[in-house]
Amino acid sequence: MRTTSTPKVSVIIPCRGHAAELRRCLESVLAQGETIPFEVVVVDSEADDEVVDAAQAFPAVRIIRSREGLRPGPARNLGARHARGDFLLFLDADCTCMRGSLAAAVFALEKGARGVGGPVLHGKPWHPVAAADNFLQFADLPASR
């Protein structure tokens, strides 16, 4: 349920030059059919008019524009500074949200989870190069204790 009141979840989507992918992403988020109040914040991290046009096709979406090109981390931080929700859900513009994922995330967080994430599915999930690529994205993160 998109809301104009205080949202429970802020979905923050950094976007840099992926207008077509952003449309699919926003369609998936806004089709959640959730009863949880949420907002969607798109961070246009390269002042790209096509990204703004894509986001403006969805009236419930707020757009934050950066004058300078931002990498994903700083773009997410900018979105977080503008977020109003109790929980932050970060989603890349080239990803889609599975139906029910917002409710599942909030349920887990309210039960004490410190963080939640969804599956990474792509065209060749069992291909060794694709699998290695997914793992290498997180190789520099410290091990949890």
Side-chain angles (χ1 to χ4, degrees), residues 8 17 23 27-28 33 35 39 48 67 94 99 108:
K8 185 76 161 173
R23 282 185 185 88
E27 287 169 356
S28 75
T35 57
E39 69 173 345
D48 183 340
R67 291 184 207 136
D94 63 347
R99 190 165 181 83

Short mmCIF file of all heavy atoms in Angstrom, two decimals, residues 8 17 23 27-28 33 35 39 48 67 94 99 108:
data_model
loop_
_atom_site.label_atom_id
_atom_site.label_comp_id
_atom_site.label_asym_id
_atom_site.label_seq_id
_atom_site.Cartn_x
_atom_site.Cartn_y
_atom_site.Cartn_z
N LYS A 8 5.95 2.59 6.70
CA LYS A 8 6.68 1.60 7.50
C LYS A 8 8.02 1.29 6.82
O LYS A 8 9.03 1.09 7.48
CB LYS A 8 5.83 0.33 7.62
CG LYS A 8 6.43 -0.72 8.50
CD LYS A 8 6.23 -0.33 9.94
CE LYS A 8 6.37 -1.51 10.86
NZ LYS A 8 6.32 -1.06 12.24
N GLY A 17 21.43 5.79 -15.27
CA GLY A 17 21.40 5.45 -16.68
C GLY A 17 20.68 4.17 -17.04
O GLY A 17 20.98 3.58 -18.07
N ARG A 23 11.91 1.17 -14.98
CA ARG A 23 10.45 0.99 -15.16
C ARG A 23 10.01 -0.39 -14.68
O ARG A 23 9.01 -0.52 -13.97
CB ARG A 23 10.08 1.19 -16.63
CG ARG A 23 10.03 2.62 -17.06
CD ARG A 23 9.53 2.76 -18.52
NE ARG A 23 9.61 4.13 -18.95
CZ ARG A 23 10.69 4.68 -19.52
NH1 ARG A 23 11.77 3.96 -19.73
NH2 ARG A 23 10.67 5.95 -19.89
N GLU A 27 7.54 -1.14 -11.50
CA GLU A 27 6.31 -1.93 -11.68
C GLU A 27 6.26 -3.05 -10.66
O GLU A 27 5.22 -3.32 -10.07
CB GLU A 27 6.24 -2.49 -13.10
CG GLU A 27 5.93 -1.45 -14.15
CD GLU A 27 6.11 -1.96 -15.57
OE1 GLU A 27 6.56 -3.12 -15.76
OE2 GLU A 27 5.81 -1.19 -16.50
N SER A 28 7.38 -3.72 -10.43
CA SER A 28 7.40 -4.85 -9.49
C SER A 28 7.20 -4.37 -8.05
O SER A 28 6.51 -5.03 -7.27
CB SER A 28 8.70 -5.64 -9.62
OG SER A 28 9.80 -4.96 -9.04
N GLY A 33 1.08 -5.22 -3.67
CA GLY A 33 -0.21 -5.56 -3.09
C GLY A 33 -0.14 -5.67 -1.58
O GLY A 33 -0.90 -6.39 -0.96
N THR A 35 -0.21 -4.62 2.46
CA THR A 35 -1.01 -3.82 3.37
C THR A 35 -0.11 -2.94 4.21
O THR A 35 -0.59 -2.13 4.99
CB THR A 35 -1.84 -4.74 4.28
OG1 THR A 35 -0.95 -5.61 4.98
CG2 THR A 35 -2.85 -5.54 3.47
N GLU A 39 6.87 3.77 0.93
CA GLU A 39 7.17 4.81 -0.03
C GLU A 39 8.28 4.32 -0.94
O GLU A 39 9.03 3.40 -0.58
CB GLU A 39 7.59 6.11 0.66
CG GLU A 39 8.95 6.01 1.35
CD GLU A 39 9.45 7.33 1.89
OE1 GLU A 39 8.93 8.39 1.51
OE2 GLU A 39 10.40 7.29 2.70
N ASP A 48 19.96 12.33 -15.04
CA ASP A 48 19.57 11.74 -16.33
C ASP A 48 18.07 11.96 -16.55
O ASP A 48 17.25 11.42 -15.82
CB ASP A 48 19.90 10.25 -16.30
CG ASP A 48 19.61 9.52 -17.60
OD1 ASP A 48 18.81 10.03 -18.43
OD2 ASP A 48 20.18 8.43 -17.79
N ARG A 67 23.36 16.30 -8.54
CA ARG A 67 24.02 17.10 -9.59
C ARG A 67 25.30 16.43 -10.07
O ARG A 67 25.78 16.71 -11.15
CB ARG A 67 24.33 18.48 -9.05
CG ARG A 67 23.10 19.30 -8.80
CD ARG A 67 23.46 20.70 -8.36
NE ARG A 67 22.37 21.20 -7.56
CZ ARG A 67 22.50 21.85 -6.43
NH1 ARG A 67 23.69 22.12 -5.96
NH2 ARG A 67 21.45 22.25 -5.77
N ASP A 94 18.09 -2.34 -11.69
CA ASP A 94 17.99 -3.43 -12.66
C ASP A 94 17.46 -4.72 -12.01
O ASP A 94 17.56 -5.80 -12.58
CB ASP A 94 19.33 -3.68 -13.35
CG ASP A 94 20.43 -4.12 -12.39
OD1 ASP A 94 20.24 -4.01 -11.16
OD2 ASP A 94 21.48 -4.56 -12.87
N ARG A 99 6.73 -10.67 -5.42
CA ARG A 99 5.49 -10.34 -4.72
C ARG A 99 5.55 -10.87 -3.29
O ARG A 99 5.95 -11.99 -3.04
CB ARG A 99 4.31 -10.95 -5.47
CG ARG A 99 2.98 -10.46 -4.95
CD ARG A 99 1.88 -10.80 -5.94
NE ARG A 99 0.60 -10.34 -5.50
CZ ARG A 99 0.14 -9.09 -5.66
NH1 ARG A 99 0.87 -8.21 -6.28
NH2 ARG A 99 -1.04 -8.75 -5.22
N ALA A 108 10.27 -10.37 9.23
CA ALA A 108 11.54 -10.84 9.76
C ALA A 108 12.21 -9.78 10.63
O ALA A 108 12.74 -10.09 11.72
CB ALA A 108 12.48 -11.24 8.61
#
